Amino acid sequence: MEWSDVRIFLAVARAGTLGGAARALRISHPTVGRRIRALEQAVGHSLFQRTADGLVLTEEGNGIVALAEQMEEGAVAMERRLAGQEQNLKGNLRISSADWFGAYVLPPILADFSQAYPNVDVEILTGTRLFNLAHREADVAFRIVPFDAADVVQRRLFRLEYGVYIAEEAPEPVYGDGTGFRLITHDTSTGHFPDIAWLIESFPNARPVLRSNNRNVQGRMCREGVGIAVLPRVVGNQIPGIRSLDLPTPPPARDIWMGYHRDLRRLQRLRAFISTASNYLVNATA
């Protein structure tokens, strides 16, 4: 049984459709269907049941998922180990971060990096999803919480300061009150956000009117006069049309962490990027 077939089997099992697996693997829909049929013929069992809602694992298919995942882990570990021994400053580098970090922090870093290492192709993955470094979904990730995997090398990069913003033409809200004002808050289903809790406590009589998990959206809504927003200063200070409030107590700050899998610690293009990012952030936050 070839790993490429097992890889497709796992993708279909996770996506539930041939189309979803094709998009995840970046191959054609017919190729996925053909390889699954060939695999089922090779093992002599139907691995998926076709339903109106998609593909569901049969009893035989469900019985080999754990074995397939063990094969996946071994194959990915080999890829990481071999990638970590590459010495040429060329190839792909995949970076994962929150949307605001990718839009407001990474651009000047990547401008310097791309100028110094033009043969490295960079892909930026942003959003709330935590990409799996062990599976090489990303080579390096930036987060506001420490990494909890034992095989991830991590370092604290800098202290992220927050500010409170309002539209330039809006009147000044009263700290500790907020009557007559509205708040722009964050979707807290993905975790705890101390800055958002602080905002609500600091303006208890203001009415939360809009919630978003995207800091850029929050900042632009603030600019349109929707309400008061708390934003990383690196975001708020770059959005025209809003002003920072001078308050007696600032929102709580947070640490920014960078992590990568230990098997990639010798990957030259990764080390070059880490050096570029670290030098820039040290100078920018000094």
Side-chain angles (χ1 to χ4, degrees):
M1 185 179 297
E2 296 183 4
W3 157 238
S4 59
D5 291 332
V6 175
R7 180 168 175 258
I8 291 175
F9 164 75
L10 285 173
V12 174
R14 290 162 179 166
T17 64
L18 298 179
R23 288 189 295 272
L25 298 175
R26 299 181 181 179
I27 59 179
S28 70
H29 185 291
T31 297
V32 174
R34 184 175 64 253
R35 297 287 290 276
I36 287 296
R37 288 192 297 271
L39 179 60
E40 290 179 326
Q41 291 174 1
V43 300
H45 293 284
S46 294
L47 302 177
F48 294 97
Q49 178 182 348
R50 279 71 176 172
T51 71
D53 296 325
L55 299 179
V56 179
L57 285 167
T58 62
E59 183 177 353
E60 292 80 8
N62 192 60
I64 65 170
V65 167
L67 296 174
E69 289 176 339
Q70 291 177 16
M71 184 180 290
E72 176 186 46
E73 180 59 32
V76 174
M78 290 176 63
E79 292 177 1
R80 288 197 311 263
R81 188 64 56 85
L82 292 173
Q85 294 174 358
E86 292 179 2
Q87 297 302 311
N88 296 327
L89 285 175
K90 61 182 180 180
N92 299 319
L93 186 67
R94 187 173 292 182
I95 303 168
S96 166
S97 75
D99 56 84
W100 63 266
F101 196 93
Y104 293 95
V105 179
L106 287 180
I109 296 173
L110 290 176
D112 291 347
F113 180 76
S114 297
Q115 184 175 5
Y117 308 103
N119 294 323
V120 178
D121 298 325
V122 177
E123 181 178 1
I124 303 176
L125 308 169
T126 63
T128 57
R129 178 188 168 196
L130 299 181
F131 287 87
N132 193 317
L133 296 176
H135 289 174
R136 289 210 72 186
E137 292 181 340
D139 298 313
V140 58
F142 296 91
R143 297 179 185 173
I144 59 174
V145 294
F147 296 80
D148 55 10
D151 52 4
V152 171
V153 178
Q154 63 179 313
R155 68 173 67 171
R156 188 175 68 86
L157 286 180
F158 65 95
R159 191 73 170 160
L160 179 68
E161 303 292 336
Y162 288 81
V164 182
Y165 296 86
I166 198 168
E168 280 185 345
E169 70 280 3
E172 195 84 3
V174 176
Y175 177 76
D177 183 4
T179 299
F181 287 83
R182 299 173 297 183
L183 301 180
I184 299 171
T185 62
H186 201 93
D187 176 14
T188 57
S189 63
T190 57
H192 176 59
F193 294 86
D195 55 297
I196 298 299
W198 177 94
L199 178 67
I200 295 172
E201 292 172 1
S202 298
F203 297 95
N205 295 322
R207 182 169 64 91
V209 68
L210 184 144
R211 183 171 65 242
S212 172
N213 64 352
N214 186 304
R215 296 288 188 178
N216 195 36
V217 170
Q218 294 171 20
R220 292 181 181 275
M221 291 297 177
C222 178
R223 184 181 64 186
E224 296 300 320
V226 173
I228 305 170
V230 58
L231 300 167
R233 289 194 176 276
V234 69
V235 176
N237 292 349
Q238 294 187 62
I239 297 178
I242 64 176
R243 73 177 195 273
S244 176
L245 298 178
D246 185 14
L247 301 176
T249 303
R254 301 189 75 169
D255 292 326
I256 294 294
W257 296 83
M258 176 178 64
Y260 56 92
H261 196 279
R262 63 186 180 190
D263 287 349
L264 297 184
R265 62 187 181 276
R266 294 187 179 88
L267 184 63
Q268 289 293 81
R269 60 180 179 271
L270 174 61
R271 295 178 64 173
F273 172 76
I274 291 172
S275 176
T276 302
S278 299
N279 290 337
Y280 176 86
L281 292 172
V282 166
N283 294 329
T285 58

